[in-house]
Amino acid sequence: MNRRHSAAAAITLVCALAVLAAPVQAFAAPTPPAPEQPPRSGDAEDSGASGTSGKKSLEEVRAKIDALYRKAGAATDAYNLAEERSKKQSSEIVKLAQAIVEGQAKIADLRSRAGAQAREQYRNAGLPPGAQLMLSGDPQLFLDGISRAHQGQQAAKGVLGELNRTQQDLETYTQDASTNWTKLEASRVKQAKAKKKINEQIAAAKKLESQLEKKERARLLQLEQQAEYKSQTAWLSSGALKEINRGASASGKKAVAFATSQIGKPYKWGAVGPASFDCSGLTSQAWAAAGHPIPRTSQEQWRQLPHIAVKDMRPGDLVIYFNDATHVGMYIGDGAIVHAPRPGRNVTITGAGSMEILGVVRPDK
């Protein structure tokens, strides 16, 4: 009864689950953005950005907004990883449910066969087949039937043995289904927490931006571009680009073509296209389109894919950014990447050295 109850419980879990459940731009010599105009008397930088607390300069506001979006990016990676695990666990539960249903049907058949054998023995007054033959008084019948009796005994043992093995398998499937259901619920909790954190960080960043006047928002974008230009120039000045002259692989060309064809589409956390992308959604879909599926998140891309020296990278390789591997872009040649930057921005091309590089990975090595 316990086994039957466990199997039924697993099926119930599964039923519940069913209800729930392109041209390349060169960046070798970047054109510097227009210099920021000095603030006039009464500008936000003299007295702090309009509506912001304290006396923060526009540069401090930019740094704060950037930090908030970085935290949102880290939470997005956590959300995406939890979502991938949920999908995998859901799939496992469905497979186990199918195995449980098949096992129950097999047990029903084996029990029917065992019951038929028991009824046959009862009709023969409970005597073993060998005894029945001996009592018949016919030596020839005894000799002819002894082989069949032996086969019948082996068949009965086989049915009981198979029934026992199937019951054990069913018990294992039930336990595995319960374990996967527990993991699924844990992943859902992680997803919910990450989603809440993402929304909080993005809301805080948008609130800061909304408190700026139109002129200040324009200067904010200019400050972002200047920061990227400064970082890219320093990277190029280090001589990083001198040895980077390798051509893309056939698959790499396809991945680059897909990624660059998405330019202009908006960033949206958790999105994998076709209308919008987050950073790892863009790179994972680009390589899927090239026939090489890769991990969904930038952290898993960094953890699982082969690492390549920066000097050896070629178009199609993925550049991973920041110490926590929370951003990724695709190298497209000439010192540039295509990437989905952050909420409020579109898929675009920028310098590969415009952010802090953690390392490079190659999906098709």
Side-chain angles (χ1 to χ4, degrees):
M1 286 298 292
N2 287 336
R3 289 173 179 165
R4 202 173 302 165
H5 178 72
S6 299
I11 294 297
T12 303
L13 290 178
V14 177
C15 291
L17 176 66
V19 175
L20 296 174
V24 174
Q25 299 180 16
F27 271 76
T31 302
E36 182 185 355
Q37 296 297 318
R40 296 190 302 274
S41 177
D43 273 0
E45 286 183 307
D46 291 333
S47 58
S50 300
T52 58
S53 60
K55 299 287 184 180
K56 291 182 180 179
S57 70
L58 196 58
E59 176 57 36
E60 288 174 322
V61 173
R62 185 200 69 79
K64 178 63 175 176
I65 289 173
D66 185 61
L68 287 168
Y69 280 128
R70 281 278 313 280
K71 290 177 181 178
T76 297
D77 232 37
Y79 175 89
N80 290 336
L81 183 59
E83 184 178 46
E84 286 298 295
R85 286 176 176 169
S86 291
K87 288 178 181 177
K88 182 178 180 181
Q89 284 146 6
S90 296
S91 176
E92 286 298 317
I93 291 174
V94 170
K95 289 178 183 177
L96 287 166
Q98 292 171 341
I100 288 170
V101 170
E102 291 171 2
Q104 287 178 323
K106 187 174 181 180
I107 285 175
D109 177 64
L110 290 169
R111 283 176 174 165
S112 175
R113 287 161 58 187
Q117 290 173 347
R119 287 191 295 273
E120 179 64 24
Q121 186 174 1
Y122 177 78
R123 283 194 294 270
N124 291 318
L127 292 174
Q132 295 170 27
L133 292 170
M134 292 180 70
L135 291 174
S136 68
D138 188 337
Q140 188 59 46
L141 179 61
F142 176 81
L143 293 174
D144 292 341
I146 195 67
S147 177
R148 290 195 300 274
H150 177 71
Q151 291 174 356
Q153 289 172 342
Q154 292 300 110
K157 289 180 181 178
V159 168
L160 292 176
E162 191 173 359
L163 179 60
N164 185 53
R165 288 191 300 272
T166 303
Q167 287 175 326
Q168 290 175 344
D169 289 343
L170 194 59
E171 203 169 277
T172 299
Y173 295 151
T174 303
Q175 291 172 351
D176 289 347
S178 179
T179 299
N180 275 280
W181 182 266
T182 301
K183 290 179 179 178
L184 178 62
E185 288 304 301
S187 291
R188 283 178 175 158
V189 169
K190 288 181 180 178
Q191 276 181 273
K193 288 181 178 178
K195 184 176 183 178
K196 182 181 178 182
K197 188 176 293 185
I198 293 164
N199 288 330
E200 288 174 350
Q201 303 293 351
I202 291 176
K206 286 183 176 179
K207 182 178 179 181
L208 277 177
E209 287 189 272
S210 70
Q211 291 171 344
L212 298 173
E213 295 177 356
K214 183 177 180 180
K215 180 173 58 177
E216 290 171 328
R217 287 197 294 271
R219 294 226 311 273
L220 183 67
L221 177 59
Q222 190 179 66
L223 285 173
E224 288 180 11
Q225 294 170 339
Q226 287 176 340
E228 289 180 359
Y229 170 76
K230 182 179 179 180
S231 182
Q232 173 75 353
T233 301
W235 182 66
L236 294 174
S237 298
S238 70
L241 199 61
K242 291 180 180 178
E243 296 184 57
I244 302 176
N245 56 8
R246 290 162 181 77
S249 64
S251 296
K253 289 178 181 177
K254 292 178 182 178
V256 169
F258 178 94
T260 52
S261 69
Q262 312 308 315
I263 290 173
K265 293 183 179 180
Y267 177 104
K268 181 180 179 183
W269 67 265
V272 292
S276 56
F277 297 87
D278 63 20
C279 66
S280 56
L282 177 65
T283 54
S284 61
Q285 289 303 299
W287 273 102
H292 284 268
I294 62 174
R296 166 67 178 88
T297 71
S298 58
Q299 291 178 337
E300 289 300 295
Q301 289 169 5
W302 173 246
R303 189 176 71 85
Q304 296 186 35
L305 298 178
H307 290 201
I308 300 296
V310 172
K311 66 182 180 64
D312 295 327
M313 69 179 176
R314 67 191 186 193
D317 289 346
L318 305 183
V319 186
I320 310 295
Y321 294 96
F322 309 120
N323 289 333
D324 53 1
T326 51
H327 191 69
V328 60
M330 179 179 291
Y331 187 64
I332 58 175
D334 294 322
I337 61 163
V338 58
H339 73 143
R342 66 166 177 82
R345 299 288 184 260
N346 297 332
V347 175
T348 188
I349 291 176
T350 191
S354 61
M355 295 167 282
E356 177 193 345
I357 295 176
L358 175 62
V360 180
V361 294
R362 179 166 294 165
D364 61 340
K365 183 176 180 181

